[in-house]
């Protein structure tokens, strides 16, 4: 089993920054993808950013140039640096880990951006 624990959400004004962290523990396969989805009220969950153990990244078009994903493989931890936040970034952000065809989720952390 895999556990994901997120931290770093909160309330910030438009133009501000936040950094999310997600630590994975348990039976983690050495090759995996980790990253973040988000879900705003009344909307579907969407992929924000993802990074492989090799460091390959993938971003949603809406966050390119503003968000940066990174990871520390020795710590099984992934980070999401979010800059120039906009009200439309307001959502619950869910950490995920994908390995061997299985998808694991964190409990979610709220990010609220005020205008």
């Amino acid at each position: 089993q895999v556990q994901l624990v997120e931290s770093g959400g909160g309330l910030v004004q438009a133009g501000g920054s936040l950094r999310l962290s997600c630590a994975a523990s348990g039976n983690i396969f050495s090759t995996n993808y980790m990253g973040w989805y988000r879900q705003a009220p009344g909307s579907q969950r969407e992929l924000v950013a993802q990074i492989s153990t090799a460091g390959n990244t993938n971003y949603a078009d809406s966050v390119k140039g503003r968000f940066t994903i990174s990871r520390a493989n020795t710590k099984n931890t992934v980070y999401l640096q979010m800059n120039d936040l906009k009200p439309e970034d307001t959502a619950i952000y869910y950490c995920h880990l994908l390995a061997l065809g299985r998808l694991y989720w964190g409990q979610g952390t709220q990010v609220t951006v005020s205008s």
Side-chain angles (χ1 to χ4, degrees), residues 31-100:
T31 301
N32 58 66
Y33 289 83
M34 291 186 71
W36 302 86
Y37 279 73
R38 67 185 180 188
Q39 187 167 20
S43 299
Q44 290 187 331
R45 194 171 294 191
E46 63 174 357
L47 178 66
V48 177
Q50 191 174 63
I51 185 168
S52 70
T53 44
N56 298 312
T57 59
N58 181 34
Y59 292 95
D61 288 343
S62 60
V63 306
K64 285 180 180 177
R66 300 188 298 122
F67 291 10
T68 302
I69 191 169
S70 61
R71 66 185 292 167
N73 287 334
T74 55
K75 299 180 181 179
N76 292 315
T77 300
V78 64
Y79 307 96
L80 186 67
Q81 178 66 42
M82 304 185 293
N83 298 329
D84 190 24
L85 282 159
K86 303 176 180 181
E88 51 264 42
D89 294 317
T90 295
I92 299 174
Y93 284 68
Y94 295 92
C95 177
H96 74 278
L97 185 149
L98 174 65
L100 297 177

